[in-house]
Amino acid sequence: MTVSRSPVGFPRISARVRILLWLLVVMAVALGAVAVTVRSILQRDVDHRISKLLTQETGEFANFVPQGVDPDTGGRFETADRLLRIYLQRQYADPDEELLGLTGPAGKEPGVIRQRRDLPRDIALWKDKDSLTRIRDSQDSFGTLQRPQGELRWAKVEIGPSAGGQPGAFVVAFHPERERAVADKTFWMLLALSGIALLMTTGIGWAVAGRILAPVRLVRTTAAELTEQDLTRRIPVEGRDDIAALAETFNAMLDRLERAFAAQRVFVDDAGHELRTPITIVRGHLELMGDDPADREETVRLVTDELDRMSRIVEDLLLLAGAERPDFVRPEPVQLAELTADVFVKVRTLGEREWVLDGVADREVRLDPQRMTQAMVQLAQNAVQHTVPGQRIRIGSRADAGHVELYVADHGPGIPPEDAEVIFERFRRGTSRRGTRTSGAGLGLAIVRAIAEGHHGGVELRRTEGGGATFVLTLETDS
Ligand SMILES: Nc1ncnc2c1ncn2[C@@H]1O[C@H](COP(=O)(O)OP(=O)(O)OP(=O)(O)O)[C@@H](O)[C@H]1O
Ligand SMILES: [Mg+2]
């Protein structure tokens, strides 16, 4: 039995023991109830049988009284004594039964007429004058006597003095102890069998519960052995039950964890790499800086540029790191037309282009206007970076049932299909970069995607008609 301490200090009982204990308690109660019920049914049967027997015996005697004929005289019986004697001679009694005739007037100790029987003397009623007197004097015609020797059920038929000089009574007595004992024996047998069944259940239950719960133990030990460095351990999945499903879920969770940790490592590596480049550049410029004031001025300009770039990267990284937080996006009801117009006004300052407000959707939607503007500005910035002054860049929004789109379309070089997926990943830039190193770190589209997903939407790349790239933010709405 595994008993360890839970953090609160209570002993922790393993699931295996708990399952088994419950099983045993329920079984014990059920088996006990069955045994008790069987016993009471058997006892009731015994009582019924005895009642029937007593009724039958007294009925037979009551019939005999008016019809009986004395074999010696061929006429009616003259005395109760004779009637009882003849009747009893002809009767056959059950092993636990006594048939007796009582004679003599009430108030006196009765005379007893009995059959020759081998009943144990200590329980025989014919010897027990006390009980006989009580039965004879009783007003009832049947009853139960509790004697020290045990219980006794009796019934009697009185014969009035008219049947002969003396009054008399016919008494049937039944000793139920032996029949009761048979019922009790069945009860104890049932209990003993229940005990054996419980023992067997304990053994089998322990083994089966152990087998079923083995994967759970495996999950526990595997989880305990996992470290951030080694997430490669997996639980072998066997069978098709829900425990196997648990193992599968656990393994899937480990897959995700492993991927997340790997992605995090890549992210940190990339971030480090990306930040190292401007540092190297800054150091190089400072080391080579001469005394010439013009040279110094140029160095300061370049160094400030790099530092700006660095601080932008750090800001973007912080923003992306916060994208997992629930309050990253704070939606509120926003007029889409207003938002689109605002964005248009802001992005026009990004560069000398032919900016066009293409179309606005007249619809109220729930979104975070700041984040959405931020995403649109990123897209517009990219569009500016990949176009030359005078080229047309279109901004707009459209809506149809349950669906809203905001887009930025340019007529730049567009994006080769092989880049279509990767450009949305962090620190990934397209392969066909024009000109010299841009100031970007490849975080812009990752931020746009994070904002779109924060709104339960997405970002799509399409081709602009006539060449160029169109980025579309798509959101689902309720209305
Ligand atoms: N409008 C566009 N036209 C052509 N290529 C684009 C356009 N927008 C993005 N790209 C490509 O996608 C890549 C990723 O863009 P992203 O905005 O993520 O990074 P970046 O602009 O290089 O850097 P940052 O946005 O962090 O300053 C770009 O490097 C570029 O190759
Ligand atoms: Mg960008």
Side-chain angles (χ1 to χ4, degrees):
M1 182 192 299
T2 330
V3 177
S4 55
R5 299 256 150 200
S6 70
V8 215
F10 297 114
R12 187 183 292 166
I13 302 173
S14 75
R16 195 183 189 180
V17 174
R18 279 218 309 269
I19 291 173
L20 209 67
L21 281 180
W22 275 110
L23 187 71
L24 290 184
V25 166
V26 171
M27 263 191 80
V29 170
L31 290 174
V34 167
V36 168
T37 312
V38 166
R39 184 188 188 211
S40 81
I41 289 175
L42 288 178
Q43 299 283 25
R44 224 181 45 208
D45 275 1
V46 168
D47 285 347
H48 273 319
R49 232 174 55 72
I50 296 172
S51 300
K52 234 174 92 182
L53 196 93
L54 294 180
T55 321
Q56 192 190 330
E57 295 284 12
T58 48
E60 276 173 21
F61 180 77
N63 279 340
F64 180 78
V65 174
Q67 291 163 11
V69 174
D70 190 330
D72 284 358
T73 62
R76 301 211 40 171
F77 287 101
E78 310 225 313
T79 61
D81 182 279
R82 173 106 184 120
L83 184 141
L84 286 166
R85 235 172 254 287
I86 296 298
Y87 183 76
L88 287 178
Q89 269 171 22
R90 296 176 182 173
Q91 293 304 307
Y92 178 78
D94 261 22
D96 297 317
E97 196 183 25
E98 267 182 274
L99 302 177
L100 301 172
L102 303 182
T103 53
K108 277 195 178 169
E109 195 173 273
V112 184
I113 308 160
R114 66 180 184 99
Q115 292 174 305
R116 293 230 155 269
R117 292 288 311 283
D118 292 334
L119 224 64
R121 289 177 72 86
D122 57 332
I123 69 162
L125 175 65
W126 66 268
K127 295 207 63 182
D128 184 354
K129 298 285 185 204
D130 248 14
S131 302
L132 283 176
T133 314
R134 271 166 64 196
I135 291 173
R136 207 262 319 273
D137 296 344
S138 166
Q139 299 294 316
D140 304 323
S141 50
F142 50 85
T144 307
L145 270 186
Q146 301 295 347
R147 304 185 302 160
Q149 304 94 303
E151 194 184 307
L152 179 104
R153 300 267 314 263
W154 60 266
K156 70 170 174 183
V157 181
E158 285 178 6
I159 321 163
S162 56
Q166 290 253 22
F170 170 72
V171 173
V172 194
F174 199 96
H175 305 282
E177 296 300 330
R178 212 176 47 86
E179 298 238 355
R180 291 259 155 81
V182 171
D184 277 351
K185 201 169 147 198
T186 311
F187 169 70
W188 288 113
M189 285 263 292
L190 264 179
L191 274 193
L193 282 176
S194 303
I196 293 171
L198 279 183
L199 275 181
M200 281 173 60
T201 308
T202 312
I204 296 170
W206 182 254
V208 171
R211 260 191 79 85
I212 291 178
L213 293 174
V216 175
R217 282 201 300 279
L218 208 59
V219 168
R220 215 179 75 182
T221 43
T222 308
E225 281 168 16
L226 286 173
T227 61
E228 271 178 39
Q229 281 71 41
D230 181 16
L231 288 168
T232 54
R233 294 188 64 94
R234 294 292 181 276
I235 300 163
V237 178
E238 281 167 25
R240 314 192 43 175
D241 54 3
D242 43 2
I243 301 274
L246 167 75
E248 256 167 42
T249 313
F250 187 77
N251 284 345
M253 186 195 75
L254 286 181
D255 286 346
R256 283 200 300 279
L257 261 183
E258 204 182 352
R259 273 201 303 275
F261 272 114
Q264 200 188 36
R265 258 197 297 275
V266 171
F267 181 66
V268 171
D269 281 355
D270 287 349
H273 182 80
E274 213 54 48
L275 289 171
R276 199 170 324 126
T277 315
I279 291 173
T280 314
I281 293 170
V282 167
R283 164 171 292 157
H285 281 306
L286 291 179
E287 275 172 3
L288 294 177
M289 188 170 65
D291 292 334
D292 180 18
D295 186 26
R296 281 178 163 251
E297 202 176 307
E298 174 65 5
T299 303
V300 168
R301 197 184 60 76
L302 286 170
V303 165
T304 315
D305 240 29
E306 281 307 310
L307 288 179
D308 281 350
R309 206 171 92 78
M310 273 177 81
S311 83
R312 255 203 54 215
I313 293 175
V314 170
E315 257 168 45
D316 287 353
L317 282 176
L318 286 177
L319 185 109
L320 277 174
E324 298 298 318
R325 285 213 301 266
D327 65 343
F328 175 62
V329 164
R330 295 192 185 119
E332 58 186 76
V334 171
Q335 292 298 336
L336 205 53
E338 233 170 77
L339 181 83
T340 318
D342 283 354
V343 167
F344 179 71
V345 171
K346 277 187 192 135
V347 296
R348 276 164 61 148
T349 59
L350 289 175
E352 279 289 310
R353 302 289 185 274
E354 189 195 337
W355 294 98
V356 176
L357 182 57
D358 211 22
V360 290
D362 192 11
R363 165 83 72 87
E364 189 185 83
V365 281
R366 278 187 68 78
L367 51 78
D368 183 333
Q370 262 106 41
R371 291 279 182 232
M372 208 38 95
T373 307
Q374 196 175 9
M376 289 296 280
V377 168
Q378 287 281 0
L379 292 176
Q381 221 156 25
N382 280 353
V384 170
Q385 273 164 12
H386 295 91
T387 48
V388 289
Q391 267 187 318
R392 174 181 295 184
I393 301 175
R394 288 180 294 123
I395 306 278
S397 59
R398 23 172 195 263
D400 54 43
H403 193 80
V404 167
E405 289 186 352
L406 288 119
Y407 59 89
V408 176
D410 66 45
H411 291 281
I415 290 153
E418 68 267 22
D419 286 352
E421 279 300 316
V422 297
I423 51 169
F424 291 102
E425 286 167 27
R426 292 173 301 208
F427 301 115
R428 295 293 286 270
R429 303 179 193 95
T431 43
S432 59
R433 273 174 52 214
R434 286 152 34 118
T436 49
R437 195 166 73 94
T438 61
S439 65
L443 291 172
L445 287 178
I447 289 173
V448 172
R449 190 171 64 175
I451 291 174
E453 284 170 1
H455 284 85
H456 307 292
V459 50
E460 283 170 26
L461 169 63
R462 294 177 195 160
R463 232 184 81 82
T464 313
E465 247 177 82
T470 302
F471 286 90
V472 187
L473 284 163
T474 60
L475 308 178
E476 305 299 320
T477 59
D478 305 334
S479 47

mmCIF file of all heavy atoms in Angstrom, residues 125-142:
data_model
loop_
_atom_site.group_PDB
_atom_site.id
_atom_site.type_symbol
_atom_site.label_atom_id
_atom_site.label_comp_id
_atom_site.label_asym_id
_atom_site.label_seq_id
_atom_site.Cartn_x
_atom_site.Cartn_y
_atom_site.Cartn_z
ATOM 1 N N LEU A 125 -43.116 -31.442 25.755
ATOM 2 C CA LEU A 125 -44.143 -30.655 26.441
ATOM 3 C C LEU A 125 -44.895 -31.494 27.476
ATOM 4 O O LEU A 125 -45.287 -31.002 28.534
ATOM 5 C CB LEU A 125 -45.113 -30.085 25.397
ATOM 6 C CG LEU A 125 -46.315 -29.327 25.938
ATOM 7 C CD1 LEU A 125 -45.861 -28.066 26.663
ATOM 8 C CD2 LEU A 125 -47.281 -28.957 24.828
ATOM 9 N N TRP A 126 -45.066 -32.802 27.189
ATOM 10 C CA TRP A 126 -45.894 -33.622 28.085
ATOM 11 C C TRP A 126 -45.343 -33.712 29.480
ATOM 12 O O TRP A 126 -46.052 -33.963 30.434
ATOM 13 C CB TRP A 126 -46.129 -35.021 27.480
ATOM 14 C CG TRP A 126 -44.861 -35.874 27.353
ATOM 15 C CD1 TRP A 126 -44.059 -35.949 26.288
ATOM 16 C CD2 TRP A 126 -44.326 -36.757 28.343
ATOM 17 N NE1 TRP A 126 -43.026 -36.809 26.502
ATOM 18 C CE2 TRP A 126 -43.172 -37.332 27.785
ATOM 19 C CE3 TRP A 126 -44.698 -37.116 29.653
ATOM 20 C CZ2 TRP A 126 -42.380 -38.252 28.463
ATOM 21 C CZ3 TRP A 126 -43.892 -38.044 30.312
ATOM 22 C CH2 TRP A 126 -42.741 -38.594 29.711
ATOM 23 N N LYS A 127 -43.975 -33.448 29.601
ATOM 24 C CA LYS A 127 -43.379 -33.502 30.931
ATOM 25 C C LYS A 127 -43.519 -32.163 31.655
ATOM 26 O O LYS A 127 -43.330 -32.073 32.850
ATOM 27 C CB LYS A 127 -41.869 -33.788 30.808
ATOM 28 C CG LYS A 127 -41.584 -35.139 30.223
ATOM 29 C CD LYS A 127 -40.237 -35.631 30.710
ATOM 30 C CE LYS A 127 -40.298 -35.800 32.236
ATOM 31 N NZ LYS A 127 -39.041 -36.226 32.799
ATOM 32 N N ASP A 128 -43.806 -31.126 30.864
ATOM 33 C CA ASP A 128 -43.778 -29.754 31.386
ATOM 34 C C ASP A 128 -45.184 -29.369 31.848
ATOM 35 O O ASP A 128 -45.947 -28.750 31.119
ATOM 36 C CB ASP A 128 -43.250 -28.841 30.254
ATOM 37 C CG ASP A 128 -43.077 -27.405 30.725
ATOM 38 O OD1 ASP A 128 -43.461 -27.099 31.872
ATOM 39 O OD2 ASP A 128 -42.569 -26.599 29.923
ATOM 40 N N LYS A 129 -45.520 -29.773 33.093
ATOM 41 C CA LYS A 129 -46.897 -29.600 33.586
ATOM 42 C C LYS A 129 -47.292 -28.119 33.638
ATOM 43 O O LYS A 129 -48.426 -27.755 33.362
ATOM 44 C CB LYS A 129 -47.017 -30.183 35.005
ATOM 45 C CG LYS A 129 -46.748 -31.664 35.038
ATOM 46 C CD LYS A 129 -47.917 -32.455 34.485
ATOM 47 C CE LYS A 129 -47.624 -33.936 34.656
ATOM 48 N NZ LYS A 129 -48.309 -34.822 33.749
ATOM 49 N N ASP A 130 -46.322 -27.300 33.976
ATOM 50 C CA ASP A 130 -46.576 -25.854 34.057
ATOM 51 C C ASP A 130 -47.134 -25.310 32.751
ATOM 52 O O ASP A 130 -48.181 -24.656 32.719
ATOM 53 C CB ASP A 130 -45.237 -25.145 34.315
ATOM 54 C CG ASP A 130 -45.220 -24.544 35.700
ATOM 55 O OD1 ASP A 130 -46.113 -24.928 36.486
ATOM 56 O OD2 ASP A 130 -44.315 -23.722 35.959
ATOM 57 N N SER A 131 -46.394 -25.610 31.691
ATOM 58 C CA SER A 131 -46.810 -25.125 30.370
ATOM 59 C C SER A 131 -48.137 -25.742 29.975
ATOM 60 O O SER A 131 -48.994 -25.071 29.384
ATOM 61 C CB SER A 131 -45.748 -25.465 29.326
ATOM 62 O OG SER A 131 -44.524 -24.889 29.694
ATOM 63 N N LEU A 132 -48.313 -27.015 30.294
ATOM 64 C CA LEU A 132 -49.570 -27.687 29.941
ATOM 65 C C LEU A 132 -50.749 -26.985 30.608
ATOM 66 O O LEU A 132 -51.772 -26.728 29.978
ATOM 67 C CB LEU A 132 -49.512 -29.144 30.367
ATOM 68 C CG LEU A 132 -48.687 -30.058 29.440
ATOM 69 C CD1 LEU A 132 -48.617 -31.470 30.009
ATOM 70 C CD2 LEU A 132 -49.259 -30.061 28.041
ATOM 71 N N THR A 133 -50.576 -26.670 31.896
ATOM 72 C CA THR A 133 -51.649 -25.984 32.609
ATOM 73 C C THR A 133 -51.956 -24.640 31.965
ATOM 74 O O THR A 133 -53.097 -24.263 31.757
ATOM 75 C CB THR A 133 -51.244 -25.762 34.090
ATOM 76 O OG1 THR A 133 -50.690 -26.967 34.575
ATOM 77 C CG2 THR A 133 -52.412 -25.318 34.917
ATOM 78 N N ARG A 134 -50.873 -23.936 31.604
ATOM 79 C CA ARG A 134 -51.079 -22.610 30.994
ATOM 80 C C ARG A 134 -51.808 -22.726 29.656
ATOM 81 O O ARG A 134 -52.686 -21.917 29.344
ATOM 82 C CB ARG A 134 -49.733 -21.908 30.789
ATOM 83 C CG ARG A 134 -49.370 -21.095 32.024
ATOM 84 C CD ARG A 134 -47.943 -20.668 32.040
ATOM 85 N NE ARG A 134 -47.589 -19.756 30.970
ATOM 86 C CZ ARG A 134 -46.326 -19.495 30.621
ATOM 87 N NH1 ARG A 134 -45.347 -20.127 31.267
ATOM 88 N NH2 ARG A 134 -46.068 -18.648 29.674
ATOM 89 N N ILE A 135 -51.423 -23.732 28.865
ATOM 90 C CA ILE A 135 -52.089 -23.910 27.567
ATOM 91 C C ILE A 135 -53.556 -24.278 27.783
ATOM 92 O O ILE A 135 -54.461 -23.723 27.150
ATOM 93 C CB ILE A 135 -51.385 -25.005 26.744
ATOM 94 C CG1 ILE A 135 -50.003 -24.518 26.310
ATOM 95 C CG2 ILE A 135 -52.212 -25.385 25.511
ATOM 96 C CD1 ILE A 135 -49.144 -25.552 25.639
ATOM 97 N N ARG A 136 -53.809 -25.213 28.709
ATOM 98 C CA ARG A 136 -55.186 -25.671 28.921
ATOM 99 C C ARG A 136 -56.063 -24.512 29.405
ATOM 100 O O ARG A 136 -57.199 -24.335 28.963
ATOM 101 C CB ARG A 136 -55.163 -26.808 29.968
ATOM 102 C CG ARG A 136 -56.320 -27.790 29.839
ATOM 103 C CD ARG A 136 -57.465 -27.494 30.795
ATOM 104 N NE ARG A 136 -57.060 -27.098 32.127
ATOM 105 C CZ ARG A 136 -56.811 -27.971 33.112
ATOM 106 N NH1 ARG A 136 -56.922 -29.279 32.904
ATOM 107 N NH2 ARG A 136 -56.456 -27.533 34.295
ATOM 108 N N ASP A 137 -55.479 -23.649 30.312
ATOM 109 C CA ASP A 137 -56.284 -22.573 30.873
ATOM 110 C C ASP A 137 -56.361 -21.344 29.980
ATOM 111 O O ASP A 137 -57.067 -20.384 30.280
ATOM 112 C CB ASP A 137 -55.720 -22.151 32.244
ATOM 113 C CG ASP A 137 -55.835 -23.312 33.237
ATOM 114 O OD1 ASP A 137 -56.602 -24.255 32.919
ATOM 115 O OD2 ASP A 137 -55.161 -23.268 34.275
ATOM 116 N N SER A 138 -55.589 -21.328 28.885
ATOM 117 C CA SER A 138 -55.567 -20.136 28.014
ATOM 118 C C SER A 138 -56.917 -19.942 27.329
ATOM 119 O O SER A 138 -57.590 -20.900 26.969
ATOM 120 C CB SER A 138 -54.462 -20.296 26.970
ATOM 121 O OG SER A 138 -54.631 -19.335 25.965
ATOM 122 N N GLN A 139 -57.310 -18.651 27.130
ATOM 123 C CA GLN A 139 -58.553 -18.344 26.437
ATOM 124 C C GLN A 139 -58.412 -18.556 24.928
ATOM 125 O O GLN A 139 -59.383 -18.738 24.216
ATOM 126 C CB GLN A 139 -58.937 -16.870 26.673
ATOM 127 C CG GLN A 139 -59.160 -16.517 28.132
ATOM 128 C CD GLN A 139 -60.377 -17.225 28.699
ATOM 129 O OE1 GLN A 139 -61.426 -17.289 28.056
ATOM 130 N NE2 GLN A 139 -60.234 -17.820 29.892
ATOM 131 N N ASP A 140 -57.147 -18.423 24.464
ATOM 132 C CA ASP A 140 -56.908 -18.533 23.020
ATOM 133 C C ASP A 140 -56.864 -19.992 22.596
ATOM 134 O O ASP A 140 -56.647 -20.873 23.412
ATOM 135 C CB ASP A 140 -55.559 -17.887 22.651
ATOM 136 C CG ASP A 140 -55.509 -16.437 23.109
ATOM 137 O OD1 ASP A 140 -56.550 -15.770 23.039
ATOM 138 O OD2 ASP A 140 -54.412 -16.001 23.562
ATOM 139 N N SER A 141 -57.029 -20.199 21.253
ATOM 140 C CA SER A 141 -56.924 -21.580 20.791
ATOM 141 C C SER A 141 -55.579 -21.839 20.108
ATOM 142 O O SER A 141 -55.327 -22.926 19.633
ATOM 143 C CB SER A 141 -58.081 -21.913 19.854
ATOM 144 O OG SER A 141 -58.180 -20.922 18.861
ATOM 145 N N PHE A 142 -54.760 -20.840 20.039
ATOM 146 C CA PHE A 142 -53.356 -21.102 19.648
ATOM 147 C C PHE A 142 -52.474 -19.998 20.205
ATOM 148 O O PHE A 142 -52.961 -18.930 20.592
ATOM 149 C CB PHE A 142 -53.177 -21.223 18.135
ATOM 150 C CG PHE A 142 -53.813 -20.084 17.370
ATOM 151 C CD1 PHE A 142 -53.118 -18.899 17.187
ATOM 152 C CD2 PHE A 142 -55.106 -20.210 16.860
ATOM 153 C CE1 PHE A 142 -53.695 -17.866 16.502
ATOM 154 C CE2 PHE A 142 -55.683 -19.161 16.175
ATOM 155 C CZ PHE A 142 -54.990 -17.983 15.988
#
